[in-house]
């Protein structure tokens, strides 16, 4: 069995090629993953999270099985956590390798093959321990291959050769050097007399004479040992190092060079594919850590039903924002969201800090996690893949010098319209808040009209309550262009308290203000009561 194109997150070579050719790769940028907060949650060191998104239902299903295997077999995550630093050390050796042919290079190769054998042994032990519990194609295939490799005669012979050479190399503790001097008693030539299995020790002439054991105590010097390089120039130290390396290289030349060839053949033909799994393993580990943290908090996770991309579906029951869930004490407020034939676009309004931004991000995170092949933060969900996710959130990196704040916001919206399709997901949070209510409402109406005609799933979270009054007018205008319907959502209040529940209803800006006024004792009745008391 050969695994030349094996992947833990792509089911076959065709899927892998389609991904890297961008055929099945959605437009979900690093900027969007940062806006949604996912980039910091994963914090990947060996790649960007944006590289892992897919639109291919077969890839999503394959990854779902892979994630489930890790979640259902605790020993598997332990194995992957042990394997990752070993592979990282191999990559670092590769990065530092100079292929100079000297002793250091050969010894680095020796270390590399030790690490490879350690990685194979780690995988073999770990995968076989959970073999009966594996259900996904990825880990079953990897387990079978690693078992076959570890049981092969070639691998057994490699281990024997490694032990033999390691023993010989690790036994080298010192070198006996012969030095010829010139007429001024300066070193003129030097050569290695022997490579020794024992280290030299400090001593002095008087001690050796008194003990009379010159022949039986050949590793005790007649003077104190001096640290290598002390009081020497860099050139002198380099020259001495070259002399030692050359001597050792001459002694082990044939065996070390043949070993190098064995290493190259083994690495390239047998286990080099493991290095290609490093970004995938890190991605899987970070994804599982997120899921485990949510489960530990008692939060629901569900495997979503993948609807066809043409359905543009997003239906979620019990949806929540996982970032908020992990930060708060107690349980999170959940909501139900449906993008359906009666509303492809929503305008969400409500009180400040009433949960508008939280649910906006929650929708984007659920879509993104589904397209990473992960379960989503909801009780149940039906979601179509999106060909892109676009966000328009408040940002501190505004290009206000040339455009001004409003100009920067409008420029970002224009960039979205240049790329958006009916299969995209667009999330806008407090957009156009940099200008007055009249101007913002007018521009917002134009923007909503554009998204309606584009047909994309859109959530527009806004402080502009008056937008609700003109939505029927927008729907009527865009219907002639085949536009998708727009509806409204509201963030609820309950006796002046924010409920963080989202309802499909018409907004009533006055009711929000009335609840807040009552809460802080500033309603007309409350004020009149205070004034009456003051008059008494």
């Amino acid at each position: 069995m050969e695994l030349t194109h094996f992947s833990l997150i792509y089911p076959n070579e065709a899927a892998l090629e389609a991904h890297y050719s961008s055929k099945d790769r959605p437009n979900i940028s690093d900027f969007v993953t940062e806006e949604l907060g996912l980039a910091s949650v994963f914090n990947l060191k060996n790649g960007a999270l944006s590289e892992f998104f897919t639109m291919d239902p077969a890839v999503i299903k394959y990854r779902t099985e892979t994630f489930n295997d890790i979640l259902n077999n605790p020993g598997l995550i332990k194995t992957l956590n042990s394997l990752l630093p070993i592979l990282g050390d191999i990559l670092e050796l590769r990065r530092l390798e100079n292929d100079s042919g000297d002793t250091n290079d050969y010894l680095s190769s020796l270390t590399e093959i030790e690490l490879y054998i350690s990685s194979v042994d780690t995988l073999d032990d770990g995968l076989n321990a959970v073999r009966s519990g594996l259900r996904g194609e990825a880990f079953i295939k990897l387990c079978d291959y690693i078992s076959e490799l570890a049981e092969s005669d070639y691998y057994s012979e490699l281990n024997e050769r490694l032990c033999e050479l390691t023993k010989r190399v690790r036994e080298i503790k010192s070198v006996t050097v012969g030095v010829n001097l010139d007429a001024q008693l300066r070193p003129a030539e030097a050569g290695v007399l022997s490579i020794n299995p024992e280290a030299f020790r400090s001593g002095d002439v008087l001690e050796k004479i008194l003990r009379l054991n010159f022949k039986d105590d050949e590793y005790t010097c007649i003077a104190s040992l001096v640290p290598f390089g002390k009081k020497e120039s860099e050139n002198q130290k380099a020259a001495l190092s070259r002399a030692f390396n050359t001597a050792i290289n001459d002694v082990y030349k044939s065996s070390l060079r043949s070993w190098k060839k064995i290493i190259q053949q083994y690495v390239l033909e047998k286990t080099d594919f493991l290095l290609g799994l490093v970004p995938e393993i890190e991605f899987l580990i970070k994804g599982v850590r997120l899921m485990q943290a949510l489960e530990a908090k008692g939060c629901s996770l569900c495997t979503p039903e993948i609807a066809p991309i043409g359905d543009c579906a997003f239906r979620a029951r019990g949806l929540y924002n996982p970032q908020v869930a992990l930060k708060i004490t107690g349980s999170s407020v959940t909501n139900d969201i449906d993008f359906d034939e009666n509303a492809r676009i929503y305008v969400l309004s409500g009180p400040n800090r009433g949960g508008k931004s939280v649910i906006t991000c929650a929708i984007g995170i659920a879509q993104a996690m589904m397209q990473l092949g992960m379960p989503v933060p909801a009780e149940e969900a039906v979601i179509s893949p999106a060909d892109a996710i676009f966000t328009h959130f408040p940002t501190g990196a505004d290009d206000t010098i040339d455009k001004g704040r409003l100009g920067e916001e409008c420029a970002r919206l224009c960039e979205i319209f240049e790329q958006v399709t009916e299969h995209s997901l667009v999330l806008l949070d407090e957009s156009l808040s940099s200008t007055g209510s009249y101007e913002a409402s007018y521009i917002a109406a134009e923007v909503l009209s554009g998204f309606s005609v584009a047909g994309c799933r859109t959530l527009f979270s806004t402080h502009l309550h008056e937008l609700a009054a003109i939505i029927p007018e927008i729907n009527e205008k865009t219907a002639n262009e085949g536009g998708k319907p727009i509806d409204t959502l509201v963030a609820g209040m309950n006796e002046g308290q924010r409920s963080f529940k989202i309802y499909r209803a018409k907004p009533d800006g006055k009711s929000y203000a009335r609840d807040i006024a009552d809460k802080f004792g500033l309603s007309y009745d409350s004020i009149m009561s205070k004034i009456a008391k003051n008059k008494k």
Side-chain angles (χ1 to χ4, degrees):
M1 183 193 300
E2 293 294 337
L3 293 185
T4 52
H5 298 285
F6 175 75
S7 169
L8 289 168
I9 59 176
Y10 297 98
N12 48 54
E13 184 180 356
L16 191 59
E17 289 179 355
H19 177 78
Y20 284 107
S21 67
S22 298
K23 179 181 177 182
D24 293 323
R25 189 170 176 176
N27 181 6
I28 305 176
S29 66
D30 293 333
F31 176 78
V32 168
T33 64
E34 290 174 2
E35 292 268 75
L36 295 175
L38 284 173
S40 59
V41 169
F42 278 81
N43 192 25
L44 300 178
K45 308 298 184 185
N46 295 285
L49 187 61
S50 58
E51 298 171 2
F52 293 94
F53 291 106
T54 180
M55 294 187 292
D56 187 345
V59 173
I60 294 173
K61 181 177 182 295
Y62 185 79
R63 293 184 186 181
T64 299
E65 294 174 350
T66 300
F67 274 117
N68 284 339
D69 270 343
I70 301 174
L71 284 170
N72 296 330
N73 297 278
L76 197 49
I77 189 69
K78 183 178 180 181
T79 297
L80 295 179
N81 276 319
S82 299
L83 177 67
L84 197 57
I86 300 174
L87 298 181
D89 288 343
I90 296 172
L91 287 172
E92 182 66 12
L93 276 177
R94 289 282 188 87
R95 188 182 68 82
L96 298 174
E97 191 175 40
N98 56 26
D99 200 25
S100 62
D102 62 15
T103 303
N104 287 335
D105 181 43
Y106 291 133
L107 294 180
S108 294
S109 298
L110 183 65
T111 302
E112 183 175 332
I113 200 63
E114 284 182 305
L115 290 170
Y116 266 114
I117 288 177
S118 177
S119 66
V120 172
D121 289 345
T122 298
L123 273 175
D124 189 41
D125 293 341
L127 290 173
N128 278 311
V130 299
R131 179 64 173 82
S132 61
L134 299 177
R135 298 294 180 267
E137 179 184 345
F139 281 115
I140 289 176
K141 191 173 183 180
L142 182 62
C143 180
D144 291 344
Y145 176 76
I146 294 297
S147 293
E148 180 182 310
L149 175 63
E151 294 169 5
S152 67
D153 293 338
Y154 185 91
Y155 187 77
S156 177
E157 181 183 351
L158 188 69
N159 268 287
E160 292 176 5
R161 293 286 300 275
L162 174 68
C163 292
E164 176 188 340
L165 190 56
T166 298
K167 182 179 179 181
R168 292 176 64 190
V169 171
R170 302 300 187 236
E171 282 180 348
I172 300 174
K173 301 299 182 183
S174 66
V175 176
T176 303
V177 179
V179 180
N180 290 330
L181 307 178
D182 62 14
Q184 284 75 39
L185 301 182
R186 293 175 302 189
E189 297 174 316
V192 174
L193 299 177
S194 65
I195 296 174
N196 311 313
E198 188 174 339
F200 288 104
R201 298 177 291 274
S202 292
D204 56 62
V205 176
L206 180 60
E207 182 183 358
K208 292 204 74 172
I209 291 175
L210 290 175
R211 286 193 290 153
L212 298 176
N213 59 353
F214 289 95
K215 291 184 179 181
D216 298 331
D217 195 13
E218 57 184 319
Y219 290 105
T220 298
C221 301
I222 64 172
S224 297
L225 290 170
V226 178
F228 174 71
K230 187 176 182 180
K231 296 182 180 180
E232 291 179 342
S233 68
E234 290 300 320
N235 288 338
Q236 289 173 320
K237 287 188 284 187
L240 187 57
S241 293
R242 281 196 297 270
F244 286 139
N245 286 337
T246 299
I248 296 174
N249 189 31
D250 286 342
V251 174
Y252 287 100
K253 182 182 296 183
S254 59
S255 59
L256 285 171
R257 286 184 177 174
S258 64
W259 178 252
K260 179 72 174 179
K261 292 179 181 178
I262 293 172
I263 290 171
Q264 289 173 335
Q265 179 185 8
Y266 179 76
V267 168
L268 293 176
E269 294 182 2
K270 295 294 181 182
T271 58
D272 204 32
F273 80 96
L274 287 176
L275 297 182
L277 297 182
V278 169
E280 297 183 2
I281 293 172
E282 184 191 21
F283 161 67
L284 291 170
I285 288 174
K286 295 295 180 66
V288 168
R289 285 179 184 171
L290 172 60
M291 289 184 273
Q292 289 175 331
L294 290 170
E295 289 182 342
K297 289 275 292 185
C299 299
S300 299
L301 286 168
C302 74
T303 299
E305 177 185 334
I306 310 302
I309 189 170
D311 288 0
C312 300
F314 188 103
R315 299 191 296 276
R317 300 285 176 269
L319 179 69
Y320 63 93
N321 187 316
Q323 289 183 303
V324 173
L326 292 175
K327 291 178 181 177
I328 64 173
T329 56
S331 58
S332 297
V333 175
T334 64
N335 285 286
D336 300 339
I337 297 292
D338 283 347
F339 289 88
D340 55 27
E341 66 278 1
N342 297 317
R344 186 69 61 84
I345 300 163
Y346 284 109
V347 175
L348 169 61
S349 58
N352 290 333
R353 299 186 180 180
K356 299 193 301 294
S357 298
V358 171
I359 194 65
T360 303
C361 272
I363 292 171
I365 291 171
Q367 183 77 45
M369 288 177 68
M370 184 275 284
Q371 294 192 233
L372 289 170
M374 299 174 63
V376 301
E379 294 170 6
E380 58 180 80
V382 179
I383 305 176
S384 295
D387 63 2
I389 299 177
F390 300 107
T391 56
H392 192 273
F393 295 172
T395 174
D398 300 332
D399 182 9
T400 58
I401 296 177
D402 296 328
K403 302 186 185 78
R405 174 74 184 276
L406 178 60
E408 184 274 335
E409 285 197 282
C410 292
R412 289 168 58 205
L413 285 167
C414 285
E415 290 176 1
I416 293 174
F417 279 113
E418 289 171 356
Q419 304 172 74
V420 73
T421 76
E422 65 177 321
H423 302 131
S424 303
L425 174 65
V426 182
L427 304 169
L428 306 102
D429 185 27
E430 297 294 355
S431 298
L432 306 171
S433 59
S434 59
T435 188
S437 177
Y438 177 81
E439 293 87 352
S441 295
Y442 177 83
I443 298 172
E446 299 294 285
V447 169
L448 287 170
S449 298
F451 287 130
S452 172
V453 174
C456 54
R457 288 161 286 179
T458 304
L459 181 68
F460 193 135
S461 167
T462 180
H463 63 290
L464 301 170
H465 304 294
E466 56 268 31
L467 264 181
I470 60 174
I471 284 178
E473 180 183 332
I474 298 173
N475 281 331
E476 183 178 354
K477 178 177 70 173
T478 58
N480 297 327
E481 303 291 336
K484 300 298 182 181
I486 306 172
D487 203 353
T488 55
L489 298 171
V490 296
M493 295 283 288
N494 184 15
E495 297 182 354
Q497 299 292 327
R498 295 166 177 81
S499 67
F500 304 105
K501 295 294 288 186
I502 306 300
Y503 302 98
R504 191 166 178 170
K506 302 298 180 185
D508 180 2
K510 291 182 179 179
S511 68
Y512 301 140
R514 188 182 305 114
D515 285 338
I516 294 171
D518 286 339
K519 176 182 179 181
F520 291 103
L522 293 176
S523 66
Y524 180 78
D525 290 341
S526 296
I527 293 172
M528 289 301 100
S529 175
K530 290 180 175 64
I531 292 174
K533 288 180 179 179
N534 291 337
K535 288 182 177 180
K536 292 180 179 179

